[in-house]
Amino acid sequence: MKIFKSLALSAVALVGFVAYTGTANADEINYTIKANDTLSSIAQEYFGSSDYVNRIATDNNISNVNLIYVGETLVLNTDASATVAQTTATAASTSQAATTQTTQTTQTTTQSTTTYSSTATGSEAEAKEWIANKESGGSYTATNGQYIGRYQLTSSYLNGDYSAANQEKVANAYVLSRYGSWTAAKAFWLANGWY
């Protein structure tokens, strides 16, 4: 009888612990970072948009959104009300970042355009957009160490001109010379497990 009481108390304690830890926030997902993950790819997977990078960084006290570690666990808050608030905050943050980058770019070059319309169509356009999202979340103002812009090219490739038009021109030339096409570049990267 004593064993039965001990087992019953242990079971109650375990259920209580699981209930306490499991229901703290049903809208939170614990995600363990894997090789080749980026906050952008994680945001795209769990929130449907790379616009949630800053939200994930804020929720997990990450000061550099371009620096995460394999094996680290992130808490992803998928609460719908927080999503609406974050969308507004992200838009304001993105606008501020774009303004700052445009000001800096204007000081170093006379071509400071931050938007560009691509001439690629069909599967080429899809592959180009996929690569841009993997590289920078599609942002012309993204930086990661020595890599700059939508396609994460070096300053030497861009010759100091960080405008959207120049980024597109240089990226097109690079992809054409190395892979032959955007679809070939995407296929090569997928075949080699880069993303």
Side-chain angles (χ1 to χ4, degrees):
M1 190 65 153
K2 189 173 185 178
I3 293 174
F4 177 73
K5 285 183 183 179
S6 294
L7 288 174
L9 286 174
S10 296
V12 168
L14 180 62
V15 169
F17 177 74
V18 169
Y20 173 74
T21 58
T23 61
N25 189 344
D27 297 321
E28 287 184 354
I29 297 169
N30 289 324
Y31 179 83
T32 302
I33 298 170
K34 299 180 296 278
N36 298 322
D37 274 345
T38 63
L39 288 184
S40 179
S41 67
I42 295 167
Q44 185 69 39
E45 182 178 342
Y46 286 91
F47 297 97
S49 170
S50 59
D51 293 338
Y52 294 89
V53 168
N54 291 332
R55 174 179 172 188
I56 294 170
T58 301
D59 289 350
N60 290 278
N61 298 317
I62 297 172
S63 59
N64 183 348
V65 297
N66 297 313
L67 186 62
I68 58 175
Y69 300 97
V70 172
E72 188 175 64
T73 300
L74 300 176
V75 176
L76 306 176
N77 184 353
T78 59
D79 179 36
S81 62
T83 301
V84 172
Q86 183 58 32
T87 301
T88 304
T90 300
S93 174
T94 302
S95 174
Q96 175 63 29
T99 301
T100 301
Q101 181 64 33
T102 300
T103 302
Q104 292 170 348
T105 303
T106 302
Q107 293 169 353
T108 60
T109 181
T110 58
Q111 299 175 346
S112 62
T113 306
T114 58
T115 60
Y116 178 82
S117 295
S118 176
T119 57
T121 59
S123 61
E124 281 294 289
E126 182 275 326
K128 186 175 187 178
E129 190 61 29
W130 180 87
I131 290 169
N133 279 323
K134 294 295 184 180
E135 290 289 352
S136 66
S139 172
Y140 288 106
T141 59
T143 58
N144 184 6
Q146 67 178 353
Y147 302 102
I148 301 163
R150 184 170 169 88
Y151 304 100
Q152 294 294 282
L153 300 165
T154 63
S155 182
S156 62
Y157 268 116
L158 295 169
N159 291 322
D161 180 356
Y162 306 128
S163 67
N166 191 55
Q167 288 182 43
E168 293 290 336
K169 181 179 89 174
V170 172
N172 284 335
Y174 175 79
V175 167
L176 182 62
S177 70
R178 180 160 182 188
Y179 303 103
S181 70
W182 286 98
T183 52
K186 179 181 177 184
F188 179 85
W189 290 356
L190 287 170
N192 288 283
W194 288 5
Y195 296 110

